[in-house]
Amino acid sequence: MKSKSPAKQQEPSRKLDKYWVPIVAKTLDLLDCFNSVNEALTLEEVVRRTGIPHTSAFRILHTLVVRDYLSQSGRQYRLSRLRKKIKVGFANLSTHVHLAVEIQTSLEKAATAAGVALVVWDNDRNADTAIRNAEMMVAEKVDLAIEFQIFEHVAPVISDIFARAGIPLISLVNPHHGTVYFGVNNYRAGLTAGLALADHAISHWKGKVDAVVLLESPLAGRTTQSRSVGVQKGMEERLNKLPENVVHHLDGGGDRAISKTALSTFLKTMRPASRILVAGINDESALGAVDAVNANKGARQIAIVGFGGSSDILEILKDPKGPCIGVVSFHAERYGPELLNFALPIVQGRSAPTGHYVPHKLISRAPAK
């Protein structure tokens, strides 16, 4: 909204328009003097912009705060977002990543139920696309942005785009510096997976392990990488310190096909009777690992755990003889309502925590009959 000239210069004379209500006109002029929902003005600034007398301006401001058309913090006033339909922008990781699709479905349902306008972009697992989408969200003038993208090197760029526009940003699953975070505790999720893999080795192989394969995604950065750190720590809590030559870090890129190729190549270096524990950085990596094992005809003993809990990997877990023994579920179905409950106070200018951890849970393979 553009600033108005002093109200006295715009109001027609009561003699010319008998239906004109001066106090209503002054109230509208006062609301119009705010350039955006993010701008904060003092009483003195409102008086200068509108030309409304100091006492009248104060009384109108007070009334608008009481009726939730404005919010007040100290001496500053802002337009209240409670009186307009909130527009939330969501840049999702990819329509080809099952967990991301399920999170989006959950968020769309929650937004519809809450009367929130949700505008969605697809980052398509591409750093440049994520930057362009951030710029488009700013152009769309969203009230709040939710960002789900995995590239650490562009996270500061994206954070700055929204910071300069004065739009609050929530980073999803992969934290961005300077934003509030919503998602799992990546290290603790990794620890859960590591304990599950170690317990499998103890119950099936008497604790003997020939190789630990961590299918990672280095481009996703240090926070997501902390899942792998947690996996190794969880194993060592049960199996003691793992020799360096036993742990193998492979770049699966968080992608099913790339992870399949990486593990297939690795399996060719192992003897047929090897006992191998595999942790995929996400569902896609774990699914790729399953594909690699199914395509390999060796007699190796392999146990796989993934992260996310998409419907595809839950279907695989129904096979009691399959190589995937479990997944650390992120409860995608809970993201929508919990995310909006976390986001709305931020949109409304109220204080909010710097982050919210979504509970995770290990879902194990179906037991053999």
Side-chain angles (χ1 to χ4, degrees), residues 272-294:
S274 300
R275 293 156 294 197
I276 305 170
L277 299 177
V278 180
I281 198 68
N282 58 9
D283 281 343
E284 311 305 313
S285 291
L287 290 168
V290 171
D291 293 340
V293 173
N294 291 339

Side-chain angles (χ1 to χ4, degrees), residues 115-127:
V116 170
L118 181 69
V119 188
V120 179
W121 284 263
D122 180 10
N123 284 332
D124 198 27
R125 287 175 59 89
N126 182 282

Side-chain angles (χ1 to χ4, degrees), residues 48 119 132 186 190 262 337 339:
R48 282 198 299 271
V119 188
R132 287 196 298 271
N186 285 287
L339 184 51

Side-chain angles (χ1 to χ4, degrees), residues 274-318:
S274 300
R275 293 156 294 197
I276 305 170
L277 299 177
V278 180
I281 198 68
N282 58 9
D283 281 343
E284 311 305 313
S285 291
L287 290 168
V290 171
D291 293 340
V293 173
N294 291 339
N296 190 285
K297 297 180 180 180
R300 301 174 185 85
Q301 302 176 73
I302 301 176
I304 301 167
V305 170
F307 296 90
S310 66
S311 56
D312 276 24
I313 203 163
L314 293 179
E315 186 66 27
I316 285 177
L317 287 177
K318 293 179 181 179

Side-chain angles (χ1 to χ4, degrees), residues 134-155:
E135 293 169 341
M136 290 174 66
M137 277 196 272
V138 170
E140 186 72 20
K141 297 182 179 179
V142 299
D143 298 311
L144 177 135
I146 301 170
E147 184 69 49
F148 187 5
Q149 71 89 28
I150 62 172
F151 299 100
E152 186 178 47
H153 68 284
V154 300

